[in-house]
Amino acid sequence: MTTVRDATLDVLRRYGMHRIFANPGSTEVAFLADLPDDLEFVLALHEGSVVGMATGHAIATGRPAFVNLHTTAGLGNAVGALATARVNRAPLVVVVGQQDRRHLALEPFLAGRLDGLAGPYPVWVNQPALAQDVPAAIRRAWHEARQHRGPAIVVVPMDDWSAPTDPALGLAAPTTVLRAGPEADAAAGEVVRLLDRAANPLVVVGAGADDRRTWDALVSLAERIGAPVWQEAFGARAGFPQDHPRFAGHLPAGRSRLRAVLAPHDVALVVGTGAFRQYPYEPGPLVPDGLTVAVVSDDPDELHHSRAELAVLADPAAFCLAVAEQVTPRRAPAPAPRAGTVEPPAAGEPMRAVHVFAALAERLPRDVVLVEETPSSRPDLHRLLPAREPRGFVSAAMGGLGFALPAAAGLRMGDPSRPVVAVLGDGSSLYGIQGLWSAARYGCGVLFVVLSNGRYAVLDRLADKAGGKAPWPAFEDVSVHGIAQALGCPARRVVDHPELLAVLDEVVPTLAHRTEPLLLDVPVRVDTRFEP
């Protein structure tokens, strides 16, 4: 069995932290006892001296030094020295002991209220949520200390060290992080070598790639290497033109289906997001064996929580263009087209969400900004309404409801040159319904399409999947178009497919110059299938 301690000692070896500067206490004994011979313990008689020695060592070597401190007393004694290390720009990885996780709620003797104790001087502070996350946190602390040139703190409860960890799961932190500048130039060469050696590479894009320069660079790269391009799961923005032949679809949100998509590939280049966003949790490895992952982003946090061998902090557009110019061209078949035809509902048959999406797809202009908040039918929306221009798709990055309706009004106000359509579930719309008053008051000519099923369909399906009975009632008596009208926003109830087509034919041509919002309340049948 590999323990958290075993995995952590391997991290120390991997990153050259062979000396442990410490003044030990009882919360650190489980980590320090029986240290392997290749790691050296360096004792100082006060925590100020511990951190001072480590600071000098880091300055001399130019690499992060490893410090082990004893819970509240040890960290408290070291604060002045940590402040000095920060101002001296000395990178330190500081592991602080904590009482046993299993009774922390009782605030036992030696339990420390450690968050914030060192004030603003650490460059990063973390107590991992689970024991198995400790090695990844210490790996990230090394990168944070190196990048920001100061002390990075990880708090570790004493029982975490003996907890088991599964090497197959990997660490939720990249092995190597290179920064923009000369390192990023070298990293471009490394990514080129990865792609040139790959038998079957793929590209994954995220919200951080949603701009014209990055789209153009990624199109050039994907066409040059013949790779399929996948959009991250739950992406808030589109990172690639989704009507391009190389676009393969949206990554699934569960680990088993994600592994199935990634299995044929040996290299994944992830651009503008982390690797990989998931929901809900599934046991098992995140990625298949044999897959090398490289991540490129201008957001350090995306890099640091990625399961990747290489992470590059760089402007995605410039970096991908440099890679595209250097990589060896190859030929590969394009992915098969994904979107099929949608048959209209039979006479008297209720509409489903796909009927609404298909009708919109036939009519919306290429430059439309589509704002989405329809969780129960999001996969169909992605399939039928691809983003064709940068900023062509906008959604809530955090997943909380209430974003899309007011955001659509703001998008139209911020750029009146582009038509804006918001597609919402009725449950979602009620979290931001007050935004209709502002949309009407300030002349935001948004088309709001509300798919009304009178319930929280996603939650109903999740409850069914869990084998339980949902305690919440339906709300079919709520009139979204009635609320809209009460808030001063024009609204229509559209009850059948021919009426929907007629209304869209009337309204869509006006979207480019429209200064009055319109809400369409469209009843749809609940779809029983659910695959996030």
Side-chain angles (χ1 to χ4, degrees):
M1 179 187 72
T2 300
T3 65
V4 166
R5 181 178 185 264
D6 296 332
T8 298
L9 296 180
D10 284 343
V11 170
L12 267 60
R13 296 182 180 102
R14 168 67 177 78
Y15 292 95
M17 296 184 290
H18 292 93
R19 290 192 171 108
I20 298 174
F21 296 91
N23 180 261
S26 57
T27 54
E28 293 71 58
V29 169
F31 173 62
L32 296 172
D34 294 324
L35 273 180
D37 292 340
D38 62 331
L39 298 174
E40 179 184 0
F41 182 89
V42 179
L43 175 67
L45 304 183
H46 183 274
E47 288 81 4
S49 297
V50 169
V51 174
M53 291 179 68
T55 298
H57 191 277
I59 292 171
T61 63
R63 302 191 309 270
F66 187 86
V67 174
N68 191 216
L69 298 177
H70 176 54
T71 191
T72 309
L75 179 58
N77 284 343
V79 169
L82 290 171
T84 298
R86 176 66 181 272
V87 178
N88 273 15
R89 307 176 80 181
L92 304 178
V93 174
V94 183
V95 170
V96 181
Q98 175 63 292
Q99 247 288 1
D100 193 301
R101 187 186 291 269
R102 293 168 292 187
H103 65 167
L104 271 178
L106 300 173
E107 295 202 10
F109 180 67
L110 288 181
R113 298 183 181 182
L114 304 176
D115 187 30
L117 181 59
Y121 297 111
V123 298
W124 187 68
V125 179
N126 179 255
Q127 178 172 321
L130 300 173
Q132 68 190 36
D133 298 330
V134 167
I138 292 173
R139 179 189 279 184
R140 176 169 179 174
W142 189 91
H143 292 302
E144 294 280 4
R146 179 173 175 264
Q147 179 177 342
H148 300 293
R149 302 175 72 178
I153 293 178
V154 181
V155 178
V156 183
M158 58 195 297
D159 60 311
D160 282 8
W161 298 116
S162 60
T165 186
D166 185 353
L169 298 179
L171 298 186
T175 303
T176 301
V177 178
L178 299 178
R179 291 175 290 176
E183 284 186 341
D185 297 336
E190 179 61 28
V191 170
V192 168
R193 286 188 288 275
L194 281 176
L195 294 173
D196 280 348
R197 291 196 300 263
N200 190 14
L202 84 159
V203 178
V204 176
V205 297
D210 184 23
D211 62 82
R212 174 59 65 190
R213 291 174 58 242
T214 311
W215 275 35
D216 290 347
L218 284 166
V219 166
S220 176
L221 176 59
E223 290 178 345
R224 192 167 174 85
I225 64 175
V229 180
W230 289 82
Q231 174 76 30
E232 65 173 328
F234 303 107
R237 307 270 292 274
F240 192 83
Q242 295 175 355
D243 58 345
H244 190 279
R246 287 282 157 204
F247 184 69
H250 290 70
L251 285 180
R255 289 190 175 202
S256 58
R257 290 189 294 129
L258 174 66
R259 291 195 300 272
V261 169
L262 299 178
H265 303 279
D266 53 351
V267 170
L269 176 62
V270 181
V271 180
T273 184
F276 293 93
R277 205 173 193 194
Q278 296 280 280
Y279 177 83
Y281 173 75
E282 286 184 12
L286 180 62
V287 300
D289 290 339
L291 180 72
T292 299
V293 180
V295 181
V296 180
S297 176
D298 57 6
D299 182 344
D301 190 61
E302 285 184 341
L303 303 180
H304 286 306
H305 66 237
S306 291
R307 166 77 162 79
E309 284 72 28
L310 173 64
V312 183
L313 181 64
D315 172 64
F319 187 87
C320 290
L321 183 59
V323 171
E325 290 173 345
Q326 299 174 45
V327 74
T328 303
R330 67 173 79 193
R331 302 178 71 88
R338 296 177 305 112
T341 59
V342 176
E343 294 296 327
E349 180 186 354
M351 283 185 288
R352 294 184 291 121
V354 290
H355 298 131
V356 180
F357 300 154
L360 289 169
E362 292 174 356
R363 292 163 175 80
L364 293 182
R366 183 177 183 84
D367 65 340
V368 69
V369 180
L370 186 71
V371 190
E372 177 271 331
E373 199 165 88
T374 173
S376 62
S377 51
R378 182 182 292 122
D380 286 327
L381 181 143
H382 284 321
R383 178 171 60 89
L384 295 168
L385 289 165
R388 294 171 288 175
E389 294 289 334
R391 198 163 33 85
F393 175 83
V394 179
S395 185
M398 281 295 290
L401 301 180
F403 165 83
L405 192 152
L411 283 160
R412 179 66 174 171
M413 183 181 287
D415 183 4
S417 71
R418 292 182 66 175
V420 178
V421 175
V423 180
L424 314 124
D426 51 350
S428 301
S429 72
L430 296 174
Y431 284 87
I433 199 76
Q434 304 91 339
L436 292 174
W437 181 90
S438 298
R441 174 66 177 79
Y442 295 103
C444 304
V446 177
L447 175 63
F448 299 97
V449 180
V450 177
L451 308 176
S452 295
N453 54 35
R455 65 199 69 242
Y456 296 125
V458 164
L459 296 179
D460 291 346
R461 294 169 190 166
L462 289 173
D464 288 342
K465 189 175 181 180
K469 181 180 179 181
W472 47 85
F475 47 89
E476 295 167 327
D477 51 336
V478 174
S479 171
V480 174
H481 68 286
I483 297 173
Q485 290 170 341
L487 290 168
C489 177
R492 301 187 197 180
R493 177 83 165 172
V494 180
V495 297
D496 59 36
H497 194 250
E499 184 183 6
L500 173 68
L501 301 184
V503 170
L504 292 179
D505 285 339
E506 172 193 340
V507 174
V508 169
T510 73
L511 291 179
H513 53 81
R514 191 178 185 91
T515 58
E516 182 181 64
L518 175 64
L519 182 141
L520 303 182
D521 186 356
V522 186
V524 294
R525 187 179 71 192
V526 176
D527 198 336
T528 56
R529 61 188 175 86
F530 174 59
E531 195 173 81

